[in-house]
Structure formats: structure tokens, C-alpha cells
């Protein structure tokens, strides 16, 4: 096995590090200011190390016939883990990735290049600005995994943002977001209320311990205008190493409670994670 050397760069929004995984020959962990951002195995792009990434992968696997190509818009790039996954599992897909940190994107492309022939276009821009300039009915899937530091930026949490996302998606399209919160879930509940104001179908995937308020953690939000394959998602997420629950229908409405949609002028970023919430080791 060839020894891989860690890489450290000052990028636009902090200090990025690529650290080799000693157990997998061409696998790397990307951190920014010490917070884990992405994990990539160059030899096995379908390997999703992070639990939230696996849950996003489960949704991607169930939104359309297996192997059929999709047009996907990714807001947030990281180490391009999910674009690699889509390219491997759905050959012929067309993908756009929007990442605000040009230095980070350049570092990732230089050290973790995308496979040849992959139809992935990379763009340096603010996620919402790019979304507002994107043609309507142009994406089958929109994935939002945008964190400024460890928080989802406020301008990606409002009703105006959700309406732009809905405009860009095709009628059968699906919106996915990686969010993070803890009890009493003021942020997560407000996001559910905001998306419910625009989309007919919602689902939420999270670990039971997070949903019961025992710890801070990730939650994957799914929104669409068509029924979601909740049964398939439930089977897949329940069989993970860290099993998750899929909330949907009346249970999700009960979780949302009396939260109301977020207007642009009152939007706030997601809460700051407690120390060590997303640490390494």
C-alpha cells in the first residue's frame, strides 16, 4: 500500500485538511477548521462513510428506477462525495455542483479528481444566488448540504428560498437537505413548516436518539409533490449500522407542531453544534 500524505490548505473559508484513511488505500476525510465535511473513497465511490450521506444515498436510490440517469443540482460541494455516488449508480446523469469556497473546490479537484467521463459541472457561487438564476423545471433532484462553518446559512432556510427550489425542480422532482438540530427542535420544526407550505409530501430521516432529544445530530429532510417510497426508505435506513427512523404523515405533522413558515426577514442560521458534536474519533 502506498503511503498517502495529509494535505492542508488555507481556503476561502478556513483551513481545509485531507487526511488519508489508514484502513482504505485511496480514501480521504476532508475537514474544514477541524469539522468533518466529507469522506471519499476514490476506488469505491458508492461507499458512503457518514451516516447522513448514506441516508441521502438511500433517497437517491429510491427516487427513480435503479440505474436511470438524473439531472441533479448539488448546493454545497465538499469533496464531491454525492456527485461521485450519483455518477457511479446512475451513469449518464448530468450534475451541477455549486460551492461558495473556490479554494476548497480547487483543492478537492487537484487531490481527489473526478473519474474521467463524469458529467459534473463545478461552479463557485453563493447557493441561493445560483438557484435564483437557474432555469425552472431543470432538475430531477436538488440536494442542499450547505454549511457556513457548522451552521446552515440563514438565507437557505426561508420561504423565499424554498419557493426558488420548488421552481427549479421538475414536477416529479425531489428536494433533499442535510440539516442539524437538537431538542426542542425550533430550527428543524420551522424548516418542516416552511417546506410544508410549498411541498405536498415531506419526510424526515434521523436517528431515534436525535428525534427523542437525547443529542444534537443530523436530519435528512425530503420534500416533493409526489408520494415518496417511505416503505423502501424505512427498510434501508433501519438496516444501517446506525439505524434511523423515517418520520412521515401524521407523526411528522405532530413533530412540526405549531411551528410556522420562516419569512426572509426573520430567517436564522441553524444552531451552533455543541463542542464535539461532529468531532473525529
Amino acid at each position: 500500500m502506498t503511503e498517502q500524505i495529509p494535505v492542508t490548505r488555507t481556503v476561502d473559508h478556513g483551513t481545509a485538511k485531507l487526511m488519508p484513511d489508514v484502513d482504505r488505500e485511496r480514501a480521504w476525510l476532508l475537514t474544514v477548521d477541524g469539522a468533518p465535511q466529507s469522506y471519499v473513497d476514490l476506488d469505491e465511490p458508492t461507499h458512503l462513510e457518514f451516516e447522513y450521506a448514506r441516508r441521502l444515498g438511500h433517497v437517491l436510490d429510491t427516487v427513480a428506477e435503479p440505474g436511470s440517469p438524473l439531472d441533479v443540482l448539488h448546493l454545497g460541494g465538499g469533496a464531491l462525495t454525492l456527485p461521485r455516488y450519483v455518477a457511479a449508480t446512475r451513469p449518464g446523469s448530468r450534475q451541477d455542483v455549486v460551492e461558495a469556497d473556490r479554494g476548497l473546490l480547487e483543492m478537492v479537484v487537484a487531490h481527489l479528481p473526478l473519474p474521467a467521463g463524469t458529467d459534473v459541472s463545478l461552479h463557485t457561487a453563493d447557493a441561493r444566488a445560483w438557484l435564483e438564476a437557474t432555469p425552472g423545471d431543470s432538475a430531477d433532484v436538488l440536494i442542499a448540504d450547505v454549511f457556513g462553518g457548522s451552521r446552515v446559512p440563514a438565507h437557505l432556510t426561508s420561504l423565499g428560498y424554498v419557493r426558488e427550489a420548488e421552481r427549479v425542480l421538475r414536477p416529479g422532482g425531489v428536494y433533499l437537505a442535510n440539516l442539524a438540530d437538537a431538542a426542542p427542535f425550533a430550527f428543524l420544526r420551522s424548516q418542516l413548516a416552511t417546506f410544508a407550505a410549498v411541498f405536498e409530501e415531506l419526510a424526515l430521516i434521523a436517528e431515534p436518539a436525535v428525534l427523542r432529544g437525547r443529542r444534537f445530530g443530523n436530519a435528512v429532510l425530503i420534500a416533493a409533490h409526489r408520494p415518496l417510497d417511505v416503505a423502501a426508505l424505512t427498510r434501508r435506513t433501519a438496516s444501517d449500522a446506525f439505524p434511523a427512523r423515517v418520520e412521515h404523515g401524521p407523526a411528522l405533522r405532530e413533530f412540526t407542531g405549531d411551528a410556522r413558515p420562516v419569512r426572509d426577514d426573520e430567517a436564522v442560521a441553524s444552531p451552533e453544534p455543541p463542542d464535539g458534536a461532529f468531532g473525529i474519533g
Side-chain angles (χ1 to χ4, degrees):
M1 183 183 290
T2 304
E3 184 182 3
Q4 304 286 355
I5 307 299
V7 179
T8 302
R9 294 283 185 274
T10 299
V11 294
D12 298 5
H13 299 143
T15 300
K17 292 184 180 180
L18 282 172
M19 293 180 285
D21 185 337
V22 296
D23 296 321
R24 300 174 75 96
E25 187 170 0
R26 297 181 70 224
W28 298 83
L29 173 70
L30 169 67
T31 67
V32 178
D33 291 338
Q37 295 286 330
S38 303
Y39 180 101
V40 167
D41 186 332
L42 295 176
D43 290 332
E44 195 178 339
T46 58
H47 175 77
L48 301 176
E49 180 76 10
F50 292 171
E51 287 88 4
Y52 88 84
R54 280 202 297 278
R55 290 162 196 157
L56 290 168
H58 292 325
V59 182
L60 286 166
D61 290 345
T62 58
V63 296
E65 285 297 313
S68 62
L70 296 170
D71 291 340
V72 184
L73 172 58
H74 302 260
L75 302 180
L80 309 176
T81 304
L82 287 171
R84 298 172 202 268
Y85 182 84
V86 171
T89 59
R90 296 183 175 277
S93 293
R94 293 183 303 176
Q95 303 185 77
D96 286 282
V97 179
V98 182
E99 168 59 57
D101 194 320
R102 182 183 296 276
L104 179 63
L105 205 53
E106 290 174 348
M107 174 187 182
V108 167
V109 170
H111 294 278
L112 308 176
L114 289 163
T118 304
D119 190 355
V120 178
S121 301
L122 307 177
H123 315 276
T124 302
D126 172 79
R128 180 152 176 185
W130 182 271
L131 192 63
E132 290 172 350
T134 300
D137 293 344
S138 59
D140 298 310
V141 179
L142 197 167
I143 304 173
D145 187 10
V146 184
F147 283 80
S150 298
R151 307 176 72 187
V152 178
H155 69 304
L156 304 182
T157 68
S158 70
L159 202 51
Y161 163 77
V162 176
R163 286 177 176 143
E164 285 297 320
E166 193 259 357
R167 180 187 63 80
V168 167
L169 283 169
R170 294 183 175 127
V174 178
Y175 177 94
L176 307 176
N178 176 33
L179 306 174
D181 200 2
F185 302 112
F187 174 73
L188 192 53
R189 290 169 65 239
S190 75
Q191 288 305 282
L192 288 164
T194 304
F195 278 85
V198 177
F199 288 95
E200 296 160 42
E201 288 282 329
L202 294 184
L204 190 72
I205 308 174
E207 283 185 43
V210 172
L211 292 172
R212 286 199 284 264
R214 292 181 182 170
R215 66 176 184 84
F216 189 96
N218 293 92
V220 169
L221 183 149
I222 315 165
H225 283 305
R226 61 176 170 89
L228 302 164
D229 194 343
V230 174
L233 284 176
T234 299
R235 287 194 302 272
R236 288 166 179 259
T237 56
S239 64
D240 278 340
F242 293 92
R245 213 163 69 209
V246 181
E247 295 288 1
H248 177 260
L252 192 57
R253 287 191 288 274
E254 183 178 346
F255 180 86
T256 306
D258 59 0
R260 57 186 182 79
V262 178
R263 301 194 313 264
D264 271 319
D265 61 357
E266 60 187 11
V268 296
S270 64
E272 189 75 44
D275 288 345
F278 297 129
I280 305 164

